[in-house]
Amino acid sequence: MFIMFISMSGIGLIIPIMPTYLKGFGGEGTVLGFLIASIALAQFIFSPLAGTMSDRYGRKNLIIIGLIINGIFMTMFGLANHLYELYIFRFLTGVGSAFITPPVMAYVADITTGKERGKAMGLIGAAISFGFMIGPGIGGLLSNVNMHFPFFAAGGAAIVAAILTVFLLPATKPVLVQEKGIGSGNIIRDMKTSFSTSYFVLLVVVFIFTFGIANFQSSMSMFLTYKFSYSPNEIALILTAGGFAGVIVQSLLLAKLFKKFGEMRIILFSLIIAAIFTVLMVFVSGFFLILVVATIFQTATTLIRPAVNTLISYSAGKEQGFASGMNNSYMSLGNMIGPAIAGTLFDIAMPIPFLLGGVVLIFCFVITYIWSKKSPITTAS
């Protein structure tokens, strides 16, 4: 939980300052979209490798490597002088992130069984949301020093987390994957293998809902900056409020919601809510209403990820590293394509990314609902 908090707070920390930071490089919506896409591209390519390597060589080693890479290149991002350097350092930061998330998810599966796993995934989700909640607030505060300082803080925090991981995180025994063709670490081969897994449709769902969510998240800071002239501190407050609500729900209510309604119903309900409030962002004005819409959207999306992660974990059996790696790859694919398209569409007309995101989330709801009726997943006891 601490590792994911540090990793995600480093990402969240830079969100409110990026529009202002990029002005120094002559960049706007398209540049921001492709910068977000570059980190997602790295995660898409390297997540299967990280998941497979964690099966063979242990989760802890991969996590430490990922934190170090993340810390180094987050710091380099703050030292960049040219736009092309931003793309390079952001991509390499994504490589580090790819070596963190799949091993962490697989680690959670290693140390939990049955219904405990849903609660554990919810707690990991709460740590991620807490990172996103704290990150923007810290980023807005640190930007008062200068626009480069937040990147140095994020990089330093990742390095400290790597050192603490060496001494404080117990190693779990690697689970060697025996099935032929499972876990090659080659993105093309593993993508083909994923087509035949029992959880393939869930991976497609991960891609689609991530695509829709990314339209909102990557566009919101630009939207608030250019339409309402909000400062980094105001954007940080909006993101922090949503993150706080997500943390409360995930840490205190998620396990009860899973138990009462089941993961699939939570996913379906949250997709509808996220779709509605994505579109509403186009039509609201005034700080309070924007805060409410963004908070409800973020709360809904924080429920989707741990629910999907839990269902994939139930279906994966001994393929936890491979499944976690593919989960992160499909998520990264959505994070890569979504912001790239959203940034381009934002420069055409600001409302388009939000409208597209709403349509995509409704489409995801339809696919998930149909599949859930045909292939129900039984929760382990």
Side-chain angles (χ1 to χ4, degrees), residues 88-244:
I88 293 172
F89 296 144
R90 200 65 182 153
F91 179 86
L92 293 172
T93 301
V95 174
S97 296
F99 280 80
I100 298 171
T101 304
V104 166
M105 293 300 179
Y107 190 104
V108 172
D110 290 343
I111 63 175
T112 58
T113 57
K115 294 181 179 179
E116 293 178 356
R117 192 168 297 164
K119 180 179 180 181
M121 290 295 183
L123 290 173
I124 291 294
I128 292 172
S129 298
F130 191 47
F132 275 121
M133 179 190 79
I134 294 294
I138 296 175
L141 181 64
L142 295 181
S143 67
N144 294 321
V145 178
N146 62 58
M147 295 305 295
H148 302 273
F149 189 66
F151 302 102
F152 303 152
I159 297 297
V160 170
I163 295 171
L164 293 176
T165 301
V166 171
F167 297 104
L168 299 180
L169 184 70
T172 59
K173 185 177 180 180
V175 181
L176 288 175
V177 177
Q178 302 296 334
E179 291 84 348
K180 184 178 179 181
I182 295 292
S184 68
N186 181 297
I187 181 61
I188 302 300
R189 190 178 304 165
D190 285 350
M191 287 290 287
K192 291 180 179 178
T193 301
S194 73
F195 298 162
S196 61
T197 62
S198 61
Y199 46 88
F200 171 65
V201 173
L202 285 172
L203 294 175
V204 174
V205 169
V206 168
F207 163 70
I208 297 173
F209 86 71
T210 303
F211 177 94
I213 292 170
N215 275 273
F216 183 98
Q217 293 176 330
S218 64
S219 302
M220 188 169 67
S221 61
M222 299 293 291
F223 184 74
L224 297 179
T225 298
Y226 285 91
K227 183 173 182 178
F228 299 106
S229 299
Y230 283 5
S231 68
N233 288 325
E234 290 172 314
I235 297 172
L237 179 58
I238 291 172
L239 295 173
T240 299
F244 179 75

Side-chain angles (χ1 to χ4, degrees), residues 12-352:
L13 182 145
I14 71 172
I15 292 174
I17 66 175
M18 282 300 285
T20 304
Y21 186 72
L22 289 178
K23 286 180 181 179
F25 295 86
E28 295 184 354
T30 301
V31 173
L32 178 58
F34 279 99
L35 277 173
I36 296 173
S38 67
I39 192 171
L41 174 62
Q43 291 175 320
F44 170 69
I45 294 172
F46 289 96
S47 288
L49 177 63
T52 299
M53 289 179 66
S54 78
D55 276 337
R56 292 181 168 87
Y57 306 114
R59 322 297 188 197
K60 179 175 179 177
N61 294 332
L62 272 293
I63 292 169
I64 294 169
I65 292 171
L67 286 167
I68 292 173
I69 294 174
N70 204 305
I72 291 172
F73 290 104
M74 183 71 76
T75 302
M76 295 298 291
F77 192 91
L79 294 172
N81 295 311
H82 304 284
L83 189 58
Y84 74 87
E85 293 177 333
L86 296 182
Y87 286 111
I88 293 172
F89 296 144
R90 200 65 182 153
F91 179 86
L92 293 172
T93 301
V95 174
S97 296
F99 280 80
I100 298 171
T101 304
V104 166
M105 293 300 179
Y107 190 104
V108 172
D110 290 343
I111 63 175
T112 58
T113 57
K115 294 181 179 179
E116 293 178 356
R117 192 168 297 164
K119 180 179 180 181
M121 290 295 183
L123 290 173
I124 291 294
I128 292 172
S129 298
F130 191 47
F132 275 121
M133 179 190 79
I134 294 294
I138 296 175
L141 181 64
L142 295 181
S143 67
N144 294 321
V145 178
N146 62 58
M147 295 305 295
H148 302 273
F149 189 66
F151 302 102
F152 303 152
I159 297 297
V160 170
I163 295 171
L164 293 176
T165 301
V166 171
F167 297 104
L168 299 180
L169 184 70
T172 59
K173 185 177 180 180
V175 181
L176 288 175
V177 177
Q178 302 296 334
E179 291 84 348
K180 184 178 179 181
I182 295 292
S184 68
N186 181 297
I187 181 61
I188 302 300
R189 190 178 304 165
D190 285 350
M191 287 290 287
K192 291 180 179 178
T193 301
S194 73
F195 298 162
S196 61
T197 62
S198 61
Y199 46 88
F200 171 65
V201 173
L202 285 172
L203 294 175
V204 174
V205 169
V206 168
F207 163 70
I208 297 173
F209 86 71
T210 303
F211 177 94
I213 292 170
N215 275 273
F216 183 98
Q217 293 176 330
S218 64
S219 302
M220 188 169 67
S221 61
M222 299 293 291
F223 184 74
L224 297 179
T225 298
Y226 285 91
K227 183 173 182 178
F228 299 106
S229 299
Y230 283 5
S231 68
N233 288 325
E234 290 172 314
I235 297 172
L237 179 58
I238 291 172
L239 295 173
T240 299
F244 179 75
V247 168
I248 295 299
V249 172
Q250 286 180 312
S251 58
L252 299 180
L253 300 177
L254 191 59
K256 296 178 180 178
L257 291 173
F258 282 175
K259 183 177 180 179
K260 184 173 182 178
F261 299 106
E263 289 85 357
M264 185 56 71
R265 288 182 180 177
I266 296 297
I267 292 170
L268 293 172
F269 177 77
S270 298
L271 283 170
I272 289 293
I273 296 299
I276 292 171
F277 283 86
T278 296
V279 175
L280 277 179
M281 180 58 69
V282 176
F283 301 101
V284 298
S285 61
F287 185 84
F288 177 75
L289 282 178
I290 291 172
L291 179 67
V292 170
V293 170
T295 298
I296 294 175
F297 172 85
Q298 291 181 85
T299 302
T301 57
T302 58
L303 296 176
I304 298 173
R305 285 195 172 102
V308 174
N309 291 343
T310 302
L311 292 182
I312 290 175
S313 181
Y314 287 150
S315 302
K318 293 184 178 181
E319 302 170 13
Q320 294 299 328
F322 173 78
S324 296
M326 294 312 303
N327 185 359
N328 208 48
S329 278
Y330 277 83
M331 181 179 68
S332 300
L333 189 62
N335 279 329
M336 176 175 60
I337 298 175
I341 293 176
T344 302
L345 294 177
F346 181 89
D347 287 343
I348 297 173
M350 287 188 283
I352 297 179

